[in-house]
């Protein structure tokens, strides 16, 4: 990510803060998606009714992807210890 300075006070005491809530939501949704797919394989739903299994898989996969992109977009910010400013890093 590189070294950043505070835009307000130009201090070098800037730390990165990440959102653990979004990370937990991502992990839990991935866990449930994997469990759902394994349960479908174990109960042989993929062999008996492949169309409904494909539909279930199509609806299960976007949930972790949503939390993944949410975590990338809003998952971390920068915090200045000197002036206590929370700010987003530049897109460079």
């Amino acid at each position: 990510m590189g070294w950043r300075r505070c835009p307000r006070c130009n201090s070098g005491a800037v730390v990165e803060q990440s959102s653990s809530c979004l990370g937990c939501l991502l992990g839990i949704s991935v866990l449930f998606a994997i469990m759902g797919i394994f349960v479908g394989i174990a109960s042989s739903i993929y062999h008996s009714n492949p169309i409904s299994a494909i539909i279930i898989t199509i609806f299960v996969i976007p949930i972790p992807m949503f939390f993944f992109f949410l975590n990338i977009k809003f998952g971390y910010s920068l915090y200045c210890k000197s002036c206590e400013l929370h700010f987003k890093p530049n897109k460079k």
Side-chain angles (χ1 to χ4, degrees), residues 17-35:
Q17 291 183 333
S18 63
S19 172
S20 61
C21 178
L22 289 175
C24 287
L25 285 173
L26 175 64
I28 290 170
S29 66
V30 166
L31 180 69
F32 278 117
I34 290 172
M35 282 180 14

Side-chain angles (χ1 to χ4, degrees), residues 2 19 52 69:
S19 172
S52 68
F69 289 119

Side-chain angles (χ1 to χ4, degrees), residues 7-72:
R8 183 190 292 168
C9 67
N10 203 21
S11 170
V14 175
V15 294
E16 181 179 340
Q17 291 183 333
S18 63
S19 172
S20 61
C21 178
L22 289 175
C24 287
L25 285 173
L26 175 64
I28 290 170
S29 66
V30 166
L31 180 69
F32 278 117
I34 290 172
M35 282 180 14
I37 291 172
F38 281 145
V39 166
I41 291 171
S43 67
S44 69
I45 192 172
Y46 289 105
H47 297 294
S48 63
N49 194 355
I51 294 175
S52 68
I54 291 171
I55 291 173
I56 290 170
T57 306
I58 288 173
F59 283 114
V60 166
I61 297 299
I63 295 170
M65 289 176 52
F66 170 73
F67 286 123
F68 178 73
F69 289 119
L70 200 67
N71 194 16
I72 289 174

